[in-house]
Amino acid sequence: MPLKTRIHIASLTTRLFSGYCGLVPVVLALAFTTLVRMHLRDMPLERDEGEYAYTAQLLLRGELPYAAAYTMKLPGVSLACALAMLVFGESAEAIRILTWLVNAISILLVFLLGRRLLDAAAGAVAAVCFAFISLSPNVLGLAAHASHFVMMFALLGALLLLRGIDTGRVLTLALSGAMFGLAFIMKQPGLVFGLFGLAYLSVAKLMGGRPIGTLFKNAVVFVLGLLAPFALISSLLWFGGAFDKFLGSGHSRMRTSTAPHFRLKKGCEFSVQCWPR
């Protein structure tokens, strides 16, 4: 095929995906994932799902998490499951519908983020790949694991962060921090996304030549938004008398996460042993 023809085809493809046409493969991927998830909506609950569902039932009965049931997880997913069970009924199907909704929003957010960073074609490819990977049993994608919820809020935070940096609006940066804070409430490792957002905000402002005072103000607003969800949850548990158990569960989680087989030293030693000689 002549070079001019290949260039013309590439240019035509780029124009085709430049507008809303890039949404076509995304919509098809959404339709496919919807069919799969709705077909399996009455599948028995997985281990983590059962824990979230049980805690959600306690919440619907007026009990506070950590007071009536012990868990090492933060309460974000259980709160989301309680809302889903309130709307769709106390069943496994309610949890599945919630997972489908969260995953669908994440797929759209991946498309929007890819289009924001590169173009519509890149966003569509990223969203379709994400849609199929998130269905894989190898990552327990069919279950309502916390990873789905962390991803959705982290993507929302990233999009709002980019918009806040462009517009300079303090409210947008605060909302971005709050989204990253909600990612942390879903699961402890979600905090890493918030720290990345803070670092990205600082570097972007410094490279943009903004005054240090403006950088400090934006960083403070972002951090306040980041801490707001955790502060709200902590306040509710404090007034409910379950804050001590909440802290104890968090300490146990961190202690478990830093067990010897997860430490960096052990990981490096294992890598050295596996390195081909």
Side-chain angles (χ1 to χ4, degrees), residues 195-217:
L195 297 178
F196 166 78
L198 178 60
Y200 186 89
L201 172 63
S202 302
V203 172
K205 291 296 182 179
L206 286 174
M207 293 182 65
R210 298 298 178 87
I212 297 298
T214 303
L215 169 61
F216 181 76
K217 175 185 175 182

Side-chain angles (χ1 to χ4, degrees), residues 235-259:
S235 300
L236 293 174
L237 293 173
W238 174 273
F239 288 111
F243 186 71
D244 292 340
K245 293 182 179 181
F246 172 57
L247 286 182
S249 65
H251 173 70
S252 299
R253 178 75 174 184
M254 295 302 294
R255 184 174 57 188
T256 303
S257 300
T258 56

Side-chain angles (χ1 to χ4, degrees), residues 138-155:
N138 295 328
V139 296
L140 300 176
L142 296 173
H145 274 230
S147 306
H148 287 294
F149 300 85
V150 172
M151 182 60 63
M152 182 186 70
F153 286 113
L155 288 168

Side-chain angles (χ1 to χ4, degrees), residues 156-157 160-161 170-181 221-222 225:
L156 273 171
L160 288 171
L161 178 62
V170 175
L171 179 59
T172 306
L173 293 175
L175 288 175
S176 172
M179 293 301 104
F180 285 118
V221 169
F222 180 85

Side-chain angles (χ1 to χ4, degrees), residues 67-78:
Y70 178 80
T71 175
M72 293 191 297
K73 298 178 176 64
L74 289 172
V77 180
S78 296

Side-chain angles (χ1 to χ4, degrees), residues 6-270:
R6 292 201 300 266
I7 294 176
H8 177 70
I9 293 175
S11 176
L12 182 63
T13 304
T14 302
R15 289 198 301 269
L16 180 65
F17 279 96
S18 60
Y20 290 98
C21 293
L23 275 173
V24 174
V26 179
V27 171
L28 293 176
L30 280 171
F32 178 77
T33 57
T34 300
L35 288 174
V36 173
R37 292 188 183 277
M38 291 299 105
H39 179 69
L40 300 173
R41 65 185 182 277
D42 57 350
M43 186 173 62
L45 293 177
E46 191 263 348
R47 181 199 64 185
D48 284 7
E49 289 179 306
E51 180 179 347
Y52 296 137
Y54 176 65
T55 307
Q57 284 184 323
L58 293 176
L59 287 168
L60 292 177
R61 285 156 178 71
E63 301 284 350
L64 282 175
Y66 313 101
Y70 178 80
T71 175
M72 293 191 297
K73 298 178 176 64
L74 289 172
V77 180
S78 296
L79 291 169
C81 289
L83 180 60
M85 293 167 72
L86 181 65
V87 175
F88 302 109
E90 297 184 14
S91 64
E93 292 187 8
I95 307 299
R96 297 282 179 259
I97 294 173
L98 173 65
T99 309
W100 162 76
L101 180 61
V102 170
N103 180 246
I105 293 173
S106 297
I107 292 170
L108 291 174
L109 290 174
V110 169
F111 169 73
L112 293 175
L113 185 61
R115 188 177 67 175
R116 172 70 173 72
L117 295 174
L118 296 173
D119 53 34
V125 171
V128 171
C129 291
F130 175 80
F132 283 100
I133 291 174
S134 62
L135 282 176
S136 174
N138 295 328
V139 296
L140 300 176
L142 296 173
H145 274 230
S147 306
H148 287 294
F149 300 85
V150 172
M151 182 60 63
M152 182 186 70
F153 286 113
L155 288 168
L156 273 171
L159 280 170
L160 288 171
L161 178 62
L162 292 174
R163 183 171 181 82
I165 291 174
D166 289 341
T167 62
R169 292 180 179 176
V170 175
L171 179 59
T172 306
L173 293 175
L175 288 175
S176 172
M179 293 301 104
F180 285 118
L182 287 173
F184 169 62
I185 290 300
M186 298 297 145
K187 193 173 184 180
Q188 286 89 334
L191 179 62
V192 176
F193 292 104
L195 297 178
F196 166 78
L198 178 60
Y200 186 89
L201 172 63
S202 302
V203 172
K205 291 296 182 179
L206 286 174
M207 293 182 65
R210 298 298 178 87
I212 297 298
T214 303
L215 169 61
F216 181 76
K217 175 185 175 182
N218 292 336
V220 168
V221 169
F222 180 85
V223 171
L224 289 176
L226 179 64
L227 296 176
F230 183 78
L232 178 61
I233 293 294
S234 299
S235 300
L236 293 174
L237 293 173
W238 174 273
F239 288 111
F243 186 71
D244 292 340
K245 293 182 179 181
F246 172 57
L247 286 182
S249 65
H251 173 70
S252 299
R253 178 75 174 184
M254 295 302 294
R255 184 174 57 188
T256 303
S257 300
T258 56
H261 54 282
F262 286 119
R263 286 180 182 167
L264 179 61
K265 180 180 177 182
K266 293 292 183 180
C268 293
E269 291 176 356
F270 179 76

